[in-house]
């Protein structure tokens, strides 16, 4: 296992178009997180999954954003009707928990991210 | 909601000088983690602090977790050019989500 993979690395899209990003976490990790990071800021929480269940979605996230994790493996993040304000780095991270509801043993492993530019 | 604040925003030091960044949470944390992000890179996990008052060291890096589990600090002794990057603290919530709330980071620049 080579870590968390994200695809594509870069995406340029026109305003109003839909985009979809993919994340492949570390296989033995049972939690997967999506974050968004803009220049000069820390990563901002978007949503997370435990196995295939989406357990929380940030209130800051508009209805244009949707995420899935079918079969508890890879995850996709879709943004519909993109706006210029959606331009950011979208980071995926995975983590392993000792128990189903316990804190992680270690930190998150982040992917290299998908940089979205909406023009 | 939970907020994590980090200061300073930037620190420019001469190689060999020490560096400290401070982190404060608006709520009590389950634990705190520190990450380093190199320019153009992604956050990389450095360490996790769980216990009240905990102190951990990694070579020239010293991490502390406050007694009230609401603040933390990272101190680097004798900085090197390889220390360049942005250091983020991230507080883990006490609820079952255990999601990380990141601070805004401290960007460290080191003059050779």
């Amino acid at each position: 296992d080579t870590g968390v993979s994200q695809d594509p690395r870069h995406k340029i899209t026109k305003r109003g178009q839909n985009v979809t990003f993919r994340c492949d976490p570390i296989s033995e990790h049972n939690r997967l997180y999506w974050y968004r990071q803009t220049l000069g800021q820390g990563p901002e929480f978007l949503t997370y999954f435990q196995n295939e269940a989406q357990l929380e979605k940030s209130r800051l996230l508009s209805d244009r954003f949707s995420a899935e994790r079918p079969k508890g493996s890879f995850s996709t993040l879709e943004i519909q009707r993109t706006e210029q304000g959606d331009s950011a780095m979208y980071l995926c991270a995975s983590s392993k928990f000792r128990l189903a509801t316990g804190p992680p043993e270690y930190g998150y492993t982040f992917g290299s991210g998908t940089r979205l530019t909406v023009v | 909601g939970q907020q994590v604040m980090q200061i300073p925003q930037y620190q420019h030091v001469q190689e060999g000088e020490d560096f400290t960044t401070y982190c404060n949470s608006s709520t009590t944390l389950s634990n705190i983690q520190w990450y380093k992000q190199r320019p153009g890179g992604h956050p990389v996990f450095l360490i996790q602090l769980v216990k009240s008052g905990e102190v951990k060291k990694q070579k020239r890096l010293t991490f502390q977790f406050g007694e009230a589990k609401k603040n933390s600090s990272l101190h680097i002794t004798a900085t090197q050019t390889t220390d360049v990057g942005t250091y983020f603290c991230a507080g883990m919530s006490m609820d079952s989500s255990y999601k990380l709330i990141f601070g805004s980071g401290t960007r460290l620049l080191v003059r050779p």
Side-chain angles (χ1 to χ4, degrees):
Chain A
D1 217 341
T2 56
V4 178
S5 300
Q6 290 190 247
D7 184 69
R9 291 293 304 273
H10 304 274
K11 179 71 177 179
I12 300 174
T13 190
K14 291 184 178 180
R15 189 174 53 185
Q17 297 294 305
N18 299 344
V19 294
T20 300
F21 311 139
R22 176 179 171 125
C23 171
D24 287 88
I26 292 173
S27 57
E28 59 264 30
H29 285 182
N30 56 358
R31 283 206 174 176
L32 185 149
Y33 301 82
W34 283 99
Y35 282 79
R36 174 172 62 191
Q37 187 176 28
T38 54
L39 198 62
Q41 298 298 315
E44 175 190 25
F45 170 78
L46 296 180
T47 188
Y48 87 99
F49 293 82
Q50 181 164 303
N51 301 315
E52 68 276 5
Q54 186 175 16
L55 298 186
E56 186 173 339
K57 187 176 174 180
S58 170
R59 292 174 213 166
L60 301 175
L61 215 56
S62 80
D63 292 342
R64 297 183 296 105
F65 288 71
S66 63
E68 294 183 342
R69 193 184 181 195
K71 303 177 183 177
S73 56
F74 71 91
S75 176
T76 58
L77 177 68
E78 181 184 15
I79 309 174
Q80 296 182 327
R81 304 181 302 281
T82 51
E83 301 172 356
Q84 286 188 322
D86 297 331
S87 295
M89 175 73 84
Y90 289 84
L91 293 164
C92 175
S94 68
S95 184
K96 182 178 181 180
F97 279 63
R98 279 190 289 257
L99 302 169
T101 56
E105 291 186 64
Y106 307 107
Y108 294 3
T109 301
F110 280 87
S112 298
T114 294
R115 181 169 296 284
L116 173 67
T117 303
V118 181
V119 298
Chain B
Q2 180 184 352
Q3 289 186 325
V4 176
M5 292 144 285
Q6 201 172 343
I7 58 169
Q9 189 175 5
Y10 299 97
Q11 187 86 49
H12 202 171
V13 300
Q14 186 72 41
E15 188 174 21
E17 291 181 339
D18 293 354
F19 160 77
T20 304
T21 174
Y22 301 91
C23 182
N24 280 286
S25 169
S26 58
T27 59
T28 303
L29 300 169
S30 169
N31 62 52
I32 197 157
Q33 298 181 4
W34 285 89
Y35 290 78
K36 178 182 179 180
Q37 186 171 24
R38 294 183 184 276
H42 57 275
V44 174
F45 173 70
L46 293 177
I47 207 160
Q48 175 171 265
L49 303 168
V50 179
K51 299 176 183 175
S52 169
E54 188 169 15
V55 178
K56 286 189 176 180
K57 292 190 176 184
Q58 285 181 349
K59 297 182 181 178
R60 295 178 293 105
L61 278 61
T62 302
F63 304 84
Q64 292 187 320
F65 199 11
E67 293 290 339
K69 301 186 73 173
K70 295 181 72 174
N71 58 72
S72 182
S73 65
L74 158 60
H75 180 82
I76 302 178
T77 303
T79 54
Q80 299 175 358
T81 54
T82 54
D83 295 326
V84 164
T86 301
Y87 292 85
F88 293 100
C89 64
M92 186 164 284
S93 58
M94 294 285 279
D95 61 31
S96 61
S97 72
Y98 297 108
K99 63 180 179 285
L100 287 177
I101 304 300
F102 281 79
S104 53
T106 296
R107 185 177 174 189
L108 173 63
L109 302 171
V110 181
R111 288 189 297 268

